[in-house]
Amino acid sequence: MSFEIKTIELSSGKLSYHVGGTGTPVVYLHAAGGVMLTEPLKALTVNHTVYAPICPGFDGTEGNDSLKTVRDWAAMVAEFAEKLVGPRFDVIGSSFGSWSALWLAAEHPKLVDHLILGVPAGFRFEGKGGLPADPEARFKALYAHPQKIKSTPKSPDVMAANGKTYERLADNVQVDEALSARLPSIEAVTLILLGTEDKVVPAEAGAHLKRNIPTSQRAFIFDAAHSIEVDQPERTLRLWIDFLKRGPGYVLNQGPEAA
């Protein structure tokens, strides 16, 4: 099922978003590279209405100077969701999107039901991880299997603007201590997904979240770098669907189809 791009006016400014599918609502929060309509995300629209808001300043959208931190962006997402999505919904984040999703779940615990944190940014202990500055090394850090990329490449100008917006919101924070202190208050049933070949988000980040979020589980996706949705789309989708369906009863499949 295809996605449409729409726009809504909020108290903090205009917000564009992708929407597609029918069924239980899911809010998808994008990574620092902007929205990538990956194969798992498209497949999710079969049984879910997927909303993917575009953080202002990303993907060619107009910037918003009132958004100064990741926490500010999460507050804008909360208003968007309350107006458009409903009183309770599931959330999937990717990297920067997982950082944003954590703030959303911490600040608005009654809104978020299931929470999936894909390769979560914001917890680079001792400066570990991060993306290389060199474009070729950066690309290799993002993808173990770049031949699987199916989305249309973004222009250099859009990618540069995405990077600048992310850097402004992240403000060179390596470990979000304020958010870390709020993790025990998160009520959402949470799944933390990491790639076995990911050098961008250190494994310590997943362990920290698993220790501090009360109802949480962690899984590693084999043979995936930072872009788990591209490198292993079938495994990623299977984990998403199983977790969203079973919630607290979710158990990682240990058979031949294990992630």
Side-chain angles (χ1 to χ4, degrees):
M1 188 172 289
S2 61
F3 282 85
E4 296 180 85
I5 296 183
K6 298 184 177 183
T7 302
I8 187 173
E9 194 70 41
L10 303 174
S11 63
S12 51
K14 187 186 300 182
L15 182 66
S16 297
Y17 62 97
H18 299 263
V19 61
T22 56
T24 308
V26 173
V27 173
Y28 179 86
L29 298 181
H30 64 76
V35 176
M36 180 182 276
L37 298 178
T38 60
E39 297 308 297
L41 203 56
K42 293 174 186 175
L44 201 63
T45 61
V46 173
N47 293 304
H48 298 269
T49 304
V50 178
Y51 299 86
I54 305 169
C55 182
F58 283 85
D59 292 351
T61 61
E62 185 178 347
N64 185 331
D65 291 339
S66 70
L67 300 183
K68 301 184 185 303
T69 65
V70 178
R71 189 176 186 176
D72 291 340
W73 165 229
M76 191 175 194
V77 172
E79 184 185 354
F80 162 79
E82 286 177 317
K83 282 194 171 183
L84 201 64
V85 181
R88 196 160 175 84
F89 47 87
D90 300 325
V91 178
I92 300 174
S94 174
S95 195
F96 160 62
S98 291
W99 188 358
S100 312
L102 280 165
W103 268 117
L104 178 65
E107 300 266 77
H108 303 275
K110 301 305 179 188
L111 292 180
V112 182
D113 192 2
H114 298 78
L115 175 63
I116 299 178
L117 304 171
V119 293
F123 298 93
R124 290 179 51 204
F125 297 99
E126 300 176 1
K128 294 179 181 178
L131 280 168
D134 175 71
E136 186 176 346
R138 177 183 291 254
F139 192 75
K140 288 181 178 178
L142 288 171
Y143 306 103
H145 300 285
Q147 74 277 9
K148 293 186 179 181
I149 298 173
K150 294 187 177 180
S151 58
T152 304
K154 301 178 193 288
S155 72
D157 287 346
V158 166
M159 289 303 295
N162 287 356
K164 286 181 180 178
T165 304
Y166 171 72
E167 288 170 8
R168 181 172 63 82
L169 294 175
D171 195 26
N172 203 35
V173 170
Q174 303 298 303
V175 177
D176 192 335
E177 299 289 359
L179 176 57
S180 193
R182 299 284 297 277
L183 295 178
S185 69
I186 290 177
E187 298 178 10
V189 181
T190 304
L191 175 64
I192 305 147
L193 292 179
L194 304 166
T196 58
E197 308 306 312
D198 188 9
K199 303 297 189 293
V200 179
V201 170
E204 290 90 337
H208 177 73
L209 295 173
K210 174 68 178 68
R211 281 194 305 270
N212 289 281
I213 299 174
T215 308
S216 62
Q217 299 189 55
R218 179 178 44 158
F220 286 85
I221 296 182
F222 178 71
D223 196 22
H226 191 61
S227 297
I228 57 176
E229 296 170 48
V230 170
D231 283 340
Q232 298 298 340
E234 295 87 359
R235 292 170 181 170
T236 299
L237 178 63
R238 188 169 61 250
L239 290 173
W240 282 3
I241 290 175
D242 197 33
F243 181 74
L244 293 176
K245 184 185 297 182
R246 301 186 186 191
Y250 165 87
V251 177
L252 182 64
N253 180 2
Q254 298 295 335
E257 295 301 314

